[in-house]
Amino acid sequence: MTSPTAQQLYRFLEDRFACAQACTECARACAVRASLVDPDGSDRHERVRRLGIMCAEVCDATCHVLSEEGRQDEGEIRVRLEWCRSVCLECAGAFDEQPGAESAAAGCRSCAEACSEFLRSLA
């Protein structure tokens, strides 16, 4: 096994930072969007609100994992990234059905893409 080059290490850290930043932005957008959904609304509104809250929590937790110094298990990071990507895509789909939620849906998709990019750098 060879050690990573400086360029590979730099790219890894850059991808990790970009993913953590996308997670933070997505968490913020989802929390704001979830707070705008009427909690006494229809079942569909309740689903959107719950997905927004869950996405904010998952993205926030993922950001914390990526921001920790020290060595985390690569398998654990992969599982976290895949989970975050999945929740973000589901939330984006739910936000697509809500008028005025376009930017939150885009934030979710951007986060999912950042997670995918970082997963590719782990390969």
Side-chain angles (χ1 to χ4, degrees), residues 13 15-28 54-70 72 76-77 79-85 88 111-112 114-115 118:
L13 293 173
D15 288 347
R16 185 175 180 138
F17 177 77
C19 187
Q21 186 174 20
C23 286
T24 297
E25 291 168 9
C26 184
R28 188 176 307 119
M54 182 172 71
C55 191
E57 290 174 351
V58 169
C59 286
D60 186 54
T62 302
C63 179
H64 285 289
V65 166
L66 295 175
S67 299
E68 288 177 1
E69 292 196 29
Q72 292 105 8
E76 181 182 328
I77 291 174
V79 168
R80 171 72 62 182
L81 292 170
E82 289 170 1
W83 182 38
C84 187
R85 178 178 59 189
C88 284
C111 185
C115 288
F118 188 51

